[in-house]
Amino acid sequence: NIISFIGMARLSLAALALLGVAASFSAPTAAAFQLQLPKLEFPAFGVPAANKAAAAATELEGQLLGSIKEINRLSNSEEIDQLVAKLESSGLGIERPAIAHELFGAWRLIHTSNADTASPIQRKAVDASKYNIFQNIELSEDDVLIVSQVVKFGPESQLKVDALASTSAFPLPELTERESSTTLGLNILGVSLVGEQAKPDPNRPDSRVDFVFDSGRFDLRGASFPYPVPFRLPILRDVVKGWIDITYLSPLRIRIARGNKGTTFVLVKEEEDQ
């Protein structure tokens, strides 16, 4: 019995000891529990920056297209100039546009500024708004960049003038800097910027496409006639050189360019099946 009493006493002491240990581990408070949890940060949900930029570009492009519809293709407009300047300075266009794959294809001219420095032939053709004018940019079979100006008189009639072109991706050794601003001192083919005024903008790398007109022809319902300017004549080879600076290029929609004669062009991309 004494042994049993001693045993029970020991068990009671052990139980009391366990209760004391358990009491020392009291349940944590709500504040302590929060401190033990790692801080989790969740991303803010909203419209991604890229989508906002695309929406801004689309809105400006829509305003520009709407303004162009209200005037002639060959004209000067302060509103259009302002919208063009906004797109050019927006930073929303494709970088290095002269070597971007989006540049290739058929582009329809919808607006050009009326500059006195443009050639009389160019102004006459552009002013004839009943004819569609296209600029096709493509590679030849031997990987020469070709820029073609096409005036469509009808389904089976057109004028097409081809120019050999050069960019950093497709350089053409012949295309050195133009030296003369006019043709024999006359404004026959327009007045071009030359020298320091013709230097490309260093803040817009790979934006320039240099070219030299090379050949042209009229195709009129099956009959073909040469364009009456001998582009390959050595005395004319320098003055038929030019360039365009692509100041804004959007994917599959609008291209804005400024030419060597001070003219601003706005073009829209045509569907491939057209």
Side-chain angles (χ1 to χ4, degrees), residues 11 20 39 43 50 52 66 73 81 109 121 127 170 192 202 208 218 262 266:
L11 289 173
K39 291 185 177 180
K52 289 183 179 179
R73 183 170 56 195
D81 291 344
L109 180 69
I121 298 174
D127 196 30
F170 299 97
S192 176
R208 175 165 293 188
F218 289 95
V266 181

Side-chain angles (χ1 to χ4, degrees), residues 94-99 168 200-208 246:
I94 295 171
E95 295 183 353
R96 301 182 182 272
I99 59 174
S168 64
D201 185 349
N203 297 317
R204 296 180 180 274
D206 286 320
S207 294
R208 175 165 293 188
I246 302 168

